[in-house]
Amino acid sequence: MVTIKDIAKAAGVSVTTVSRALNGYDDVNAVTRQKIKDIAREFGYSPNMAARSLISKKTKTLGLLLSNVTRASSKDNIAFEILCGMNDRAGELDYDLVLFSTTPQKQKIKSYKTLCQERGVDGVIIMGIRLDDEYLKEVVSSQIPCVLIDIPLEGPNVGYVTSDNVGGANRAVSYLLEAGHRKIGVINGHSQADVSVQRLTGYKQALERFGIPFDESLVMDGSFSEAGAKEAVYRLLAQQPDITALFCISDLMALGALQAVRGLGLQVPGQISVVGFDNIDVTAYCSPALTTVNQNKYEMGYQAAQMLIDLLEGRKVSHRLMLDTELVVRESVSPR
């Protein structure tokens, strides 16, 4: 196996010079640095990351921690797009990214700190966990830098990236109201998801602007699942048959809502209009194509990785970032 001693001998320089050149230090002459890199490439040199981490106490590895990964949400490409953004930015900055998951059952026997240490990560990006998750208490007090997706917590080593959920929901519901709808049902996620809270707030703001009082009986939880939303719509329309539109706070639940409306023999958008949130890929191809709120999922991942690396490398950085959302008008809404 090629070592830096072999490269140093071939380049006619010291081992220290080779080490500093390959690790990006700028105190090595540019010509010498390029010569060393060329020789390293010619020799097929690959750095020993384990040895490097023992010296620096850093692995240059980021972890992406997901909770409750299941096949049921396979139509939902949000996590994949976020992952792509993280992976691209991590790679650009010479960091590796590893994926690991947890469940409430696993958390009872393994702490957040232990999980991170076992995986050998310098910092963690977390998405998909509930606001009442026990790990969040550990995250805030931990010395392991962490960036949360859609969970608004901050600390010395903690930041978060989210979308403008309130504004996006406000625009979506305002679009329905402007189309003449006055009784709009909501298929929410659950109370322990910040996006549920924020998007419901946007719904209420839109109603208030149009002078319509909020009616809690028009809101049902669909647990962020297609099947859960389908069942919720059946219950909601049985209780409130004069609803003319549904605002679903995720596209996956909007797909379930479309199935339920058709199952009741009703037409979308002729009899009931449906709006989603997220702009997952399938919404452009379902029938009718779904009007929804786009959030830049790739950029969320990209910026989360950037924020985490900034925290790891000691740069001054804002611990919160909110990305814009926009309404995407398609075919699932008709005027009243």
Side-chain angles (χ1 to χ4, degrees), residues 218-231:
L218 294 175
V219 181
M220 287 227 177
D221 286 356
S223 302
F224 289 103
S225 74
E226 202 169 348
K230 186 176 180 180
E231 178 59 32

Side-chain angles (χ1 to χ4, degrees), residues 35-110:
K35 179 182 179 182
I36 290 168
K37 288 182 176 180
D38 290 343
I39 293 172
R41 190 179 304 109
E42 181 184 343
F43 282 17
Y45 171 73
S46 178
N48 186 325
M49 297 305 296
R52 180 181 290 182
S53 66
L54 285 173
I55 296 170
S56 66
K57 307 299 182 184
K58 301 290 184 183
T59 64
K60 296 209 77 174
T61 301
L62 312 180
L64 171 58
L65 176 59
L66 299 173
S67 180
N68 286 318
V69 178
T70 66
R71 291 189 66 187
S73 59
S74 58
K75 291 180 184 177
D76 187 341
N77 61 301
I78 296 174
F80 179 72
E81 287 202 39
I82 291 174
L83 173 61
C84 288
M86 293 176 188
N87 189 60
D88 284 355
R89 190 52 178 155
E92 290 168 2
L93 297 176
D94 198 29
Y95 278 77
D96 291 322
L97 181 66
V98 297
L99 172 66
F100 51 105
S101 63
T102 187
T103 64
Q105 292 73 30
K106 289 180 181 179
Q107 290 172 226
K108 292 177 182 177
I109 59 176
K110 188 171 292 185

Side-chain angles (χ1 to χ4, degrees), residues 111-183:
S111 71
Y112 168 74
K113 181 179 179 181
T114 300
L115 185 61
C116 293
Q117 289 175 337
E118 287 180 355
R119 301 290 177 166
V121 297
D122 295 334
V124 184
I125 298 167
I126 299 179
M127 61 182 293
I129 65 175
R130 296 166 57 97
L131 294 174
D132 58 357
D133 195 294
E134 288 296 318
Y135 267 14
L136 289 182
K137 297 175 184 176
E138 292 188 65
V139 166
V140 173
S141 60
S142 174
Q143 294 302 306
I144 301 169
C146 176
V147 172
L148 300 156
I149 301 290
D150 284 331
I151 302 173
L153 291 179
E154 295 179 64
N157 297 303
V158 181
Y160 70 91
V161 177
T162 190
S163 297
D164 181 8
N165 292 297
V166 174
N170 191 326
R171 281 188 291 275
V173 177
S174 293
Y175 179 70
L176 289 169
L177 292 164
E178 288 162 1
H181 296 276
R182 290 297 179 266
K183 195 161 188 180

